Structures are given as structure tokens and as C-alpha cells.
Amino acid sequence: MRDDLHTCEASHSSGSNQVSRRHMLQLMGAGVAGIAGASVLASCLGLPDQKAPVEPTVDLTPRGTAPIAERPLSPYFMGYNNVPIHSPSWSDPNVLNVVKELNAANLRYPGGTVANYWNWQTGWFFSSAPGGFKNAMKTPIHLQDVQNVVQATNTQPIYVLNLLTSNLDIQMQLLHAAKNQGLPINLIELGNEFYLDQWPLDQNVFPSGREYGTKATEWIKAIHDQFPETKIAVVGTAPISGNGDPRKGAWNDQMFQTLKEADAITVHPYVNLPDGLISKGDPAGSMDRLNSTVAARWAQFQSLLQGIPGGMKIWVTEYNLASNEADKVFHTWMHGIIVASMTLSYLADKRVDLVSFYDMLGNTGNEAVYFDRRGKDQELPPYTVTAAGWTLRLLGETMQGMKSTEPLTINAAGGGTTVTGWYFTNGLQRRGFIVNASSSDVTWQGQTHFTSGQTHYQQLTASSPFKTIADTNDVKVKQGTLQGPLALPAYSVTQLK
């Protein structure tokens, strides 16, 4: 995860959550990963109309006018981070239940920056780890725990190896031990966010991207020699705003000078929300500005894509909102709507092979399922599915078993409505997922591709975009059979199958 966020997590574990979290939110500045050009951006994340609410007709057409062609969908496309200093141990059956409930297709082990200090043999941290990590309430994760989750859910593990405080021999032992236990060894990340400047050990071991590229190449060769089918991703960075951080800004170019044979590059598209963006007295305006901010940071990724070799896959192994303003959004229905839109947007580039939402279980506000390990700050009941969890688990269910996808082009009368739709198929079944992130109700003409009288839909809404989702009564669930044009309420997600 973002090292700024890990700073929060480390302090949170030692009891200073309020100050450290605020510091984290001020620091976080990576933008949303733009995996498409401005034309796709305009259709997926355009600004809602400022005029009086209307009810335009929307044609979401998956063929002919789609901005990109049909693309393959990996069986492990959508998943989650589950951080050991946020979550109960994976041996806890509640963790297994959450993985099942969220329809996770991948699970990142052991997580982000925590992986740089992780001792897989003990299921906890090395003694060299920052105090906030090693002194946290101990919830060890052993390979047997990972195996239990994976076997029960068919979830694909993403192994984040420790290049910082371990060595190649010990990490190869991890991979062989996992294989001997029947775990799949298909997806590997070589460390986490070494490009940031607030971790001195990162800078000592990897003074620049060149040194990292050299070491990563050595590890890639060794792993591919013994696990030739495994996909290996290296640490990539996102574009920066303003003067930014020189180390971070130069990281990718320097890494590619020495890197060889990597299969993928990771990006962590957190969206920083400027102060004053969110006003609870202005829900429609707040959503407009939120969509606009996501869109602006998305556009910055066009230059990033130009610098990534064409044959490399892109792994979005962390994404969410950030900053002080994000505190106003977390746990509200607005958060669920925007992260669903973000998740769909990553489909717009065929090279995006997987995404992992940050994070699955915790109480930082980022989580899909709320859980406070300390039992002190019970903002929500334990294991409450948050707004993000509601929308993402429905999207995960929609994607399960699907093999290809393509965007549903949006033609809205009057323009300006933020409606995003994708069409999924496995050759036998057809499914759809539509997000209306605007303040306007719209009507969708979907009968061309989803047969009236035979297509079931499920629709989720809330009384307000600022509604805190604390239990099942806070989300309005409407189900039915498609009978002609379908109303898409403001701030809603709709599944069709």
C-alpha cells in the first residue's frame, strides 16, 4: 500500500490513530491510474449537468460505437488487499467469510509496505520492521492460513515478496513451501513502493530505480527458472503533480534502464481530494467535483502509459480515495459509487490484468468491510459491509466466471450525465453492470442486448450520497425482470444477468 498510508497504519497500531491518519491524508498525493485516453474519460467520468434534473434516455450499446474493442477478462481480475495490522488473522473463519461475501478473485499477501518487512516463516514481521508494524496487535498469517482461504474460495494469491529485509533464497523457500502445500504460484510482486522518500531503508537499498531494476532482473530470472509460468510484476510509480518528488518522478525511467523480463508493472492510483471539495450541504455539487477530480488525475496517466513497454501488463494493486476530504466520504454511499466507477474504468486498457482494492478489512475508512481489532473505536458494528463493500461485491459477482468484457457506450439526451456501463460474457451468459454517479435519474434502453422478460436486474441505491451505510436497511435494493426501458436512479449501481 502507499507508504504514507502505512505510516498511518503503523501509528494506528500503537494508539495514535487520529494524528497519524491526518498526517497520512495530507501526504497522500498519487492520482488515479489513467488507463485510457481522454475520449474514454469523457464518456466514463464526465461532469453531471448543472441544470435542473432531467430524465434523459441512455443507450448503453456494447457494439459498434464502443470506444474500445472487446477485451479478455482474467479470472483473477478483481480482488483486495488484506493487511495483517488491520485484519484478524486469516485463520479466523470470519476472514474466510468476508472473502466469500465480497466475491474476491485475488487476495494480496501479505499486503503493501508490510511485505517489505515480512517474515513468512513466522507469519509476522522481522525485528527490523518499524515499531508500528512489529509492535501491532499480533495477528499472524501463516501459509496454512493462506491455503485455507484460497482452497475454500478459489481466490488467486498475489505474493508480495520481501526484497528489502530478506533475500532471494528465503523468498524462494516461500514459493516452494507454498507450492508444496498446493497453493498456486501464478502472481508475484517484487516488493512495494520503494520509490517514496519517507522510508530511509528503501533509499539505502535502492538509491534509485536503476538499482531496483538490476535486483528485480536477478530475482525475475531466478523465479522464472523454477516457476516459468508465473507472472512477475515490478514496482512502478504514478505521475506526480507540481514539483512533486524527484525520486518518485524519475523512478520508472531509471528502472527501465536496467530491468529485463518483467511481465507486469504495478501502479497505485490513489486519488487525492483537495480541501473544500466535499460539502455535505451540497451532495450533487460534491459528487460533480469528486468526478471531476478523479477525471483530472486519470488524464495524467496518459504520459505514464507512453513510458511503459507495450508488452507489459498493468496491475492496479492498490486504489482508493485519500486526503482529509476523503474522511467525509468514507462509509457513505458516495464512496461506494465512486469506487465502483473507478474499478470499471481500469477495464478501459487491455493491459490492465488485475485490480486489488485497498483494503478488505479494517477501520481506516478505506475498507470494504469494517472491523476494529482493538474494539475501541466502534464506528460501525464488527464486520459491517461498508458502502464500498456493497457496490464492489455486486461488481465482483457480476465478473465471476466471465471471460471478456467491453464498454457500453453512453448516449444521454442533454449530455453531462455520469453513467458508466460494461458488458460481460463467457460465451454462454451475458451480464451487465451500470453505475449512475450523477444527480440525475436516467432511463436506459437496454433491450437490444438484454432480452426483456428474461433478464434479471438488481439495483442498489441509498437515500442520499452522504448516507452512512451502517446496516442492510441503509441500502435500498430493488430487483426485478427487465421489461423495456430501465430507470437508473441517481447515485445507483445496477447489475443485469
Side-chain angles (χ1 to χ4, degrees), residues 4 67 73 109 163 244 249 251 329 335 350 444 454:
D4 307 333
L73 185 70
Y109 163 78
L163 276 71
W251 181 268
V329 177
H335 190 215
K350 293 181 179 180
W444 174 54
Q454 299 180 19

Side-chain angles (χ1 to χ4, degrees), residues 52 82 90 159 186 193 196 203 225 249 268 274 307 394 400 427 439 490:
N82 194 34
W90 292 15
Y159 303 91
N186 296 326
E193 294 183 352
L196 295 180
Q203 298 180 67
D225 282 348
H268 292 172
L394 188 63
Q400 278 186 337
S439 57

Side-chain angles (χ1 to χ4, degrees), residues 290-423:
L290 180 56
N291 284 326
S292 179
T293 300
V294 171
R297 290 297 283 164
W298 177 300
Q300 291 185 338
F301 270 72
Q302 295 178 62
S303 60
L304 173 73
L305 291 175
Q306 294 174 5
I308 296 176
M312 294 186 74
K313 296 291 187 181
I314 299 167
W315 293 2
V316 183
T317 51
E318 296 179 27
Y319 66 102
N320 210 320
L321 304 180
S323 82
N324 292 329
E325 293 295 286
D327 275 344
K328 301 177 183 178
V329 177
F330 288 148
H331 296 165
T332 71
W333 188 241
M334 181 182 291
H335 190 215
I337 293 296
I338 202 67
V339 298
S341 294
M342 290 172 65
T343 306
L344 288 177
S345 70
Y346 303 135
L347 292 167
D349 190 286
K350 293 181 179 180
R351 289 189 291 169
V352 179
D353 195 39
L354 63 83
V355 301
S356 297
F357 181 72
Y358 181 85
D359 63 25
M360 188 173 84
L361 268 165
N363 70 327
T364 63
N366 300 273
E367 62 277 351
V369 176
Y370 180 87
F371 181 80
D372 179 11
R373 297 187 313 152
R374 300 173 302 164
K376 296 180 179 179
D377 303 324
Q378 294 293 353
E379 182 178 347
L380 299 172
Y383 300 105
T384 294
V385 179
T386 66
W390 273 89
T391 60
L392 293 182
R393 72 177 174 184
L394 188 63
L395 178 55
E397 178 190 311
T398 306
M399 290 185 179
Q400 278 186 337
M402 299 294 100
K403 295 183 178 180
S404 65
T405 183
E406 55 186 300
L408 301 170
T409 301
I410 302 160
N411 300 309
T417 50
T418 308
V419 184
T420 307
W422 283 78
Y423 173 87

